[in-house]
Amino acid sequence: MTASFTIAIDGPAAAGKGTISKAVAAELGLGHLDTGLLYRAVGVRVLEGIPAIEAARTLTPEDLARPDLRGREAAQAASKVAVIAEVRAALVDFQRAFARRAGGAVLDGRDIGTVICPYAEVKLFVTASAEVRAQRRFLELSAKGQSISLEEVLADVKERDERDMNRAEAPLKPAEDAVVIDTSALSIEAAIALALQEVAAHR
Ligand code: DC
């Protein structure tokens, strides 16, 4: 593998990109950055009253380690701040530096293959039907003790898809040269195997 090797994994919420990214990074010994966490951290700071652009420009490693980043409120807040061009711009350098770290990196998000790392050696777009994604997120949130109905989760997923796909800045869409993996009918193991196959074809 070359000194820097970037794998870009994009897709909508709960399609499985986080699980696939972690597994690929662990299997190949690469760094992994979940870029959604950056937007979630900005989102929760905004919920605390900090203006969005200031929050993005002053993010600290501690902000990224907060335990409340995985919840429903953080997800919606993240999707809202993510439409702001200056917020996105403030997060670009950190992501690009991570992508080019020695030894290689996997970044997952919405715009990695299209905007952050258009030069990535491997680009995957991981997707699944809204219903399947809502069911997965529902099980995850229920396991964490969040009381929410499947219908509410599906509404959240659709609302975020709509905002993430239709924003002017870096909308969620597959890069032209991305390989699409639809995980609707795939087990986690099968999805990871497909992703690893694709990476192997480019190394
Ligand atoms: O991947 P996630 O669900 O943690 O992302 C939360 C929100 O952050 C998502 O709805 C949109 C935004 N986001 C983005 O705009 N660009 C990224 N690269 C990652 C996340």
Side-chain angles (χ1 to χ4, degrees):
M1 191 176 288
T2 51
S4 85
F5 181 84
T6 308
I7 302 176
I9 305 189
D10 292 303
K17 62 186 188 308
T19 307
I20 293 174
S21 301
K22 272 191 217 106
V24 168
E27 176 74 23
L28 303 175
L30 309 174
H32 171 226
L33 178 64
D34 168 1
T35 64
L37 277 186
L38 303 173
Y39 292 90
R40 286 169 182 259
V42 175
V44 297
R45 295 189 78 202
V46 168
L47 294 177
E48 291 168 348
I50 300 169
I53 299 169
E54 183 189 329
R57 289 181 180 159
T58 57
L59 267 194
T60 64
E62 290 73 44
D63 293 324
L64 299 179
R66 291 176 55 148
D68 52 350
L69 297 186
R70 293 286 174 199
R72 185 184 174 200
E73 292 76 22
Q76 287 296 347
S79 174
K80 287 179 187 158
V81 298
V83 306
I84 304 169
E86 293 87 344
V87 165
R88 306 197 70 83
L91 304 175
V92 166
D93 288 350
F94 176 72
Q95 295 176 82
R96 289 199 175 137
F98 191 96
R100 280 310 191 201
R101 80 212 296 260
V106 182
L107 281 81
D108 76 83
R110 301 288 187 290
D111 62 340
I112 308 304
T114 50
V115 174
I116 302 296
C117 305
Y119 52 76
E121 281 78 7
V122 182
K123 295 183 189 179
L124 304 178
F125 191 84
V126 178
T127 189
S129 73
E131 288 69 23
V132 166
R133 291 186 285 121
Q135 176 70 32
R136 289 179 187 156
R137 187 50 52 91
F138 171 69
L139 292 175
E140 255 174 54
L141 292 173
S142 306
K144 279 188 199 147
Q146 292 210 4
S147 95
I148 183 168
S149 70
L150 178 58
E151 290 69 31
E152 285 172 306
V153 179
L154 180 59
D156 273 8
V157 160
K158 287 186 171 168
E159 186 187 331
R160 265 209 295 154
D161 281 358
E162 175 70 19
R163 203 184 294 114
D164 295 348
M165 291 190 298
N166 294 308
R167 66 185 178 215
E169 290 295 322
L172 169 65
K173 62 174 181 195
E176 274 176 20
D177 50 349
V179 170
V180 177
I181 298 180
D182 187 328
T183 67
S184 303
L186 291 180
S187 66
I188 292 173
E189 295 72 25
I192 293 170
L194 265 183
L196 284 170
Q197 242 176 47
E198 206 40 55
V199 174
H202 290 89
R203 279 173 82 185

